[in-house]
Structures are given as structure tokens and as C-alpha cells.
């Protein structure tokens, strides 16, 4: 039997020492990622991702001499990893899943695709290249060529238009259609392939026995995001109902209605505090955010046409919208009414004068009895003026 011994080369020693330093930095990175994203459940993975990225880019690390050089470098990478993760997350605002494959037909998908689907943001370039390689063979040739030029060669629009003999306008349209087609291919035809990416980060819906409080036409589905552990609820018949980023909120709870109640209470505190103080923290990055009351024509087209609120992150620019039906559902008195009347539905808001003030009456109607809950909002500010049960 032969025995081999391996002498450690200086390079091996350097690698071992780097591995040790990485291991020492790890707990700090986990804490940073948890703090920076507000998602402790994702922090381990994000720290791991940071270390992998650092490892791949070790040749770019130049601050060996500085005492905190490595820590600072790793934190900078962690910050980027977290920002990338949050960009993927922020497409879901509090009540509105901006891309909800379960609730949309093709036409509706196209309406939201513009802001909801950003290829460059959603996939890293090499992941994208690999997927495109598979997906492109499934697309028509003319669509394929514009996508390759734009996303693989990263050519400017003007160059592509010239090379393919297209007007810029035609190119824009073709790129847009190409992105939609690609998304469909990625989601449907290559589901297995994309399952490790955010695109398909959706556990199967679970049925609940909770009747939709908005339309009373269907029972809510509960979904869970695999990457973040985020739980949310949507109605197969109308729209998204609620989701919340901080899973500690429902720790220990299993009953869907109990979880949903916790989420609605927290969302109510968040939105109504914002309405009263006109400033708050951003839903995605927890940084400062400004608050504006918006009219129906300013809301994204797929939302309820009603007065609403827009919360804009000062640093990140992320916008979260919420509308009157949800702001009404979030009020504690509505929660009490809902407990008494498990089958109820929202009535479109009426505009009235109340003590000389333009007022919106937003109501929930019991489906089984004549009971109705009217909540009066000052139209200009969405402050609650009164709550009446009839
Ligand atoms: Zn519904
Ligand atoms: Zn933000």
C-alpha cells in the first residue's frame, strides 16, 4: 500500500487562512443581512451568497494591508447581495402582489409586465445567459435575435435597430413582446429549470376556509414564498388580500385566519399611522419613506379604482400603493364586524358631504343579514371621521 503526503504550498496556506477569516466573518454577515433586509429567515442564505461571491472575486480584493480591509469588503458585497434580494422581493408590496400568476390572464400580464418584470434585475447575467440558451430555441427567430443582442451582447438600442434594419419604435415593441414571450417560456416550458430562481419562487397554494371579505365569491388561498418564508393570502376571484414581510409576527400560529388577522392588524397599524403622520418607513428597506394620498387615476391600472395611498422609499424609490377597500379592511372595527359576519363583501365607496367636508363612505355588507359597517374617510386625507354599524 502506498502512502502519499502532500506538502502544503504557500498558496494552499493562503487559502486556508482566507477560509478561516471567512468563517470568522460569517456571524457578523448574518447579523448584517438580517438587519439590512429585515428578514432574519433569509439572512443565513444571503451571508452564504456573500461569501461565495467574495470567494469568486477574491482576485479583486486589494485592501489586504488595512486592518478592517476584509470586513469592509465583505460588507460591501453583502450590501449588494441584499439589495439584489430586496429588489426581487419588493415587487410584492403590502397588499398587492405585482405579479400574481394565479390571478392573471395573458392580457392582464401584459399590463403589469412593464414594471413587474425586469429581466436584468431578476436574474444574474450568467444565470440569464444559461436560461436564455435553453429558452431561445423555443422562441421565434426574430424575437430571439433582439433578445440576444440586447441581453447577451448588451448592445444599445440604437445599434441593434441599425443592425437589424428596424426603427427604434419597432425595436422597442419587439423587445417588449420578446420579454413577455420569454417570461412565458421561462415560467411554463422550463418550470423545472427555473425553479431555483425567484421567478418560480412560489409554493403551491393552500386552500383555506376563509371567505374573501372583499367579494364573498371564493375562499382565500394561502401561499408561501420559498425563499423568504413570507406568507400571503389571495382571492382566486378578485385580488391579493394581504402579505407581510416579518414572519415573527405569526410565530407559533398555524391557523390561516389567525395568521391573516395578525397580518391585517400589522398592515393597519402601518398604513393608518402613515395616513396620520404622513411619514413612515419603507416597506422594502425600512428606510424613511414619504406618504401621499392619491386619486384613482394615479393608481396602477390593475388596482381597484379608488382613492388610495402611495408610500415612496426616500432612498430606494420603491412605491407601495394601497387602496380604500384594503384600508377599510385594516381597521380594527372591521375586524370585529368580520368576526360576527364571516360572509361579507365590500361596497364601492360613496361620496358624500359630512359636516361640510368631502367624505368617502366605505362599507362592508354582511352577506347573511342586513348588517352593514360604514366607515367615513375624509376624502383629501383618508383620515377616519366616523364608524357606524347599521
Ligand atoms: Zn375576492
Ligand atoms: Zn425601500
Amino acid at each position: 500500500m502506498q502512502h502519499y503526503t502532500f506538502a502544503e504550498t504557500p498558496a494552499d496556506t493562503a487559502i486556508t487562512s482566507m477560509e478561516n477569516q471567512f468563517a470568522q466573518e460569517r456571524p457578523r454577515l448574518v447579523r448584517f443581512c438580517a438587519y439590512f433586509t429585515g428578514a432574519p429567515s433569509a439572512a443565513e442564505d444571503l451571508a452564504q451568497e456573500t461569501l461565495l461571491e467574495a470567494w469568486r472575486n477574491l482576485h479583486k480584493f486589494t485592501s489586504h494591508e488595512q486592518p478592517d480591509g476584509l470586513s469592509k469588503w465583505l460588507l460591501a458585497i453583502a450590501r449588494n447581495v441584499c439589495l439584489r434580494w430586496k429588489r426581487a422581493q419588493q415587487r410584492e408590496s403590502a397588499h398587492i402582489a405585482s405579479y400574481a400568476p394565479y390571478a392573471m390572464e395573458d392580457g392582464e400580464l401584459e399590463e403589469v409586465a412593464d414594471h413587474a418584470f425586469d429581466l436584468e434585475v431578476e436574474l444574474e447575467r450568467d444565470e440569464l445567459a444559461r436560461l436564455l440558451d435553453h429558452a431561445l430555441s423555443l422562441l421565434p427567430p426574430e424575437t430571439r435575435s433582439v433578445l440576444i443582442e440586447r441581453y447577451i451582447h448588451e448592445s444599445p438600442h440604437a445599434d441593434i435597430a441599425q443592425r437589424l434594419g428596424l426603427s427604434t419604435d419597432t425595436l422597442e415593441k419587439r423587445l417588449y413582446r420578446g420579454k413577455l414571450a420569454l417570461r412565458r417560456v421561462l415560467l411554463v416550458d422550463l418550470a423545472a429549470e427555473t425553479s431555483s430562481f425567484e421567478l418560480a419562487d412560489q409554493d403551491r397554494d393552500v386552500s383555506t376556509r376563509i371567505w374573501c371579505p372583499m367579494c364573498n365569491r371564493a375562499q382565500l388561498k394561502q401561499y408561501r414564498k420559498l425563499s423568504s418564508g413570507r406568507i400571503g393570502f389571495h382571492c382566486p376571484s378578485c385580488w391579493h388580500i394581504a402579505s407581510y414581510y416579518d414572519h415573527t409576527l405569526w410565530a407559533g400560529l398555524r391557523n390561516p385566519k389567525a395568521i391573516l388577522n395578525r397580518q391585517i392588524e400589522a398592515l393597519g397599524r402601518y398604513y393608518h399611522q402613515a395616513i396620520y403622520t404622513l411619514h413612515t418607513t419603507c416597506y422594502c428597506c425600512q428606510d424613511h419613506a414619504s406618504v401621499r394620498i392619491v386619486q384613482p387615476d394615479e393608481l396602477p391600472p390593475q388596482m381597484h379604482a379608488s382613492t388610495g395611498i402611495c408610500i415612496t422609499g426616500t432612498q430606494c424609490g420603491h412605491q407601495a400603493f394601497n387602496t380604500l377597500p384594503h384600508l377599510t379592511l385594516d381597521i380594527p372595527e372591521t375586524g370585529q364586524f368580520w368576526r360576527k359576519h364571516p360572509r361579507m363583501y365590500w361596497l364601492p365607496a360613496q361620496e358624500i358631504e359630512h359636516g361640510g367636508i368631502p367624505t368617502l363612505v366605505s362599507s362592508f355588507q354582511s352577506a347573511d343579514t342586513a348588517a352593514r359597517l360604514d366607515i367615513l374617510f375624509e376624502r383629501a386625507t383618508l383620515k377616519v371621521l366616523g364608524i357606524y354599524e347599521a
Side-chain angles (χ1 to χ4, degrees):
M1 192 185 281
Q2 286 179 301
H3 293 272
Y4 297 98
T5 52
F6 295 96
E8 279 205 334
T9 66
D12 289 336
T13 316
I15 287 174
T16 311
S17 130
M18 210 52 165
E19 276 174 351
N20 288 338
Q21 289 182 56
F22 271 32
Q24 281 167 21
E25 292 289 338
R26 194 189 165 87
R28 185 215 299 262
L29 289 173
V30 173
R31 278 198 304 279
F32 171 82
C33 293
Y35 174 77
F36 193 80
T37 60
S41 61
E44 281 283 344
D45 287 346
L46 292 168
Q48 184 61 44
E49 180 60 31
T50 301
L51 291 172
L52 282 174
E53 196 158 317
W55 196 252
R56 283 198 296 267
N57 291 288
L58 214 47
H59 58 283
K60 294 184 191 158
F61 176 56
T62 50
S63 321
H64 300 272
E65 265 69 70
Q66 294 171 20
D68 287 340
L70 183 68
S71 300
K72 282 188 187 149
W73 186 63
L74 288 175
L75 283 178
I77 295 174
R79 200 183 130 81
N80 283 335
V81 168
C82 290
L83 283 172
R84 216 154 59 208
W85 182 83
K86 282 202 295 195
R87 276 199 296 267
Q89 296 286 310
Q90 78 187 31
R91 287 172 301 119
E92 318 154 36
S93 58
H95 282 296
I96 309 304
S98 33
Y99 178 68
Y102 39 77
M104 277 186 233
E105 300 300 327
D106 274 7
E108 291 171 280
L109 170 62
E110 294 187 20
E111 258 189 357
V112 297
D114 248 352
H115 65 275
F117 181 40
D118 196 346
L119 274 179
E120 301 91 319
V121 170
E122 276 187 86
L123 297 176
E124 288 305 291
R125 225 182 133 261
D126 47 343
E127 292 168 348
L128 181 62
R130 196 169 60 76
L131 277 173
L132 280 177
D133 204 39
H134 291 259
L136 284 173
S137 61
L138 301 167
L139 295 175
E142 56 163 42
T143 309
R144 211 154 60 205
S145 53
V146 292
L147 288 172
I148 290 177
E149 287 292 340
R150 183 70 192 95
Y151 296 110
I152 304 298
H153 303 314
E154 296 183 323
S155 314
H157 286 199
D159 289 5
I160 308 173
Q162 201 187 7
R163 202 166 320 142
L164 300 176
L166 302 169
S167 72
T168 322
D169 198 41
T170 310
L171 175 72
E172 299 280 344
K173 282 195 191 121
R174 205 174 277 186
L175 269 175
Y176 176 71
R177 280 203 309 273
K179 280 166 79 167
L180 288 176
L182 184 62
R183 159 138 232 174
R184 232 167 270 140
V185 169
L186 290 177
L187 275 174
V188 180
D189 299 334
L190 293 172
E193 187 83 24
T194 54
S195 61
S196 56
F197 303 121
E198 164 72 12
L199 274 177
D201 175 26
Q202 183 104 29
D203 211 343
R204 201 178 307 156
D205 282 352
V206 180
S207 300
T208 74
R209 300 165 72 88
I210 310 166
W211 284 94
C212 176
M214 295 297 180
C215 72
N216 188 40
R217 285 196 304 258
Q219 290 175 323
L220 300 183
K221 303 276 188 192
Q222 178 182 315
Y223 65 85
R224 189 168 61 88
K225 290 283 181 177
L226 295 174
S227 61
S228 57
R230 173 196 288 262
I231 286 178
F233 298 85
H234 74 92
C235 168
S237 182
C238 63
W239 194 244
H240 196 250
I241 301 298
S243 83
Y244 201 77
Y245 62 87
D246 181 4
H247 62 97
T248 58
L249 194 69
W250 56 88
L253 296 181
R254 297 188 65 87
N255 178 298
K257 185 61 165 50
I259 296 173
L260 177 59
N261 283 342
R262 287 276 172 90
Q263 293 192 346
I264 287 177
E265 282 163 24
L267 290 166
R269 283 194 297 275
Y270 176 71
Y271 282 108
H272 290 284
Q273 176 267 328
I275 285 169
Y276 277 85
T277 62
L278 289 183
H279 60 81
T280 184
T281 53
C282 176
Y283 187 78
C284 80
C285 63
Q286 317 299 306
D287 214 283
H288 176 264
S290 64
V291 177
R292 215 159 49 85
I293 304 303
V294 293
Q295 296 310 314
D297 56 349
E298 294 178 75
L299 289 166
Q302 74 274 23
M303 295 185 70
H304 293 280
S306 82
T307 306
I309 177 175
C310 171
I311 296 180
T312 310
T314 315
Q315 291 300 317
C316 67
H318 172 242
Q319 289 195 317
F321 293 94
N322 198 1
T323 53
L324 200 56
H326 284 292
L327 292 169
T328 313
L329 183 67
D330 287 348
I331 289 173
E333 282 80 355
T334 308
Q336 288 160 18
F337 185 82
W338 192 10
R339 269 190 283 281
K340 279 187 280 175
H341 307 281
R343 303 286 302 262
M344 66 175 194
Y345 54 93
W346 184 69
L347 297 172
Q350 308 283 320
E351 233 182 297
I352 61 161
E353 287 253 312
H354 178 76
I357 302 169
T359 298
L360 294 166
V361 185
S362 176
S363 309
F364 279 97
Q365 171 69 53
S366 162
D368 304 315
T369 73
R372 195 182 74 223
L373 184 74
D374 293 335
I375 301 195
L376 275 55
F377 292 87
E378 183 178 359
R379 201 182 99 98
T381 64
L382 290 186
K383 288 181 181 167
V384 175
L385 298 175
I387 300 174
Y388 305 95
E389 196 173 330

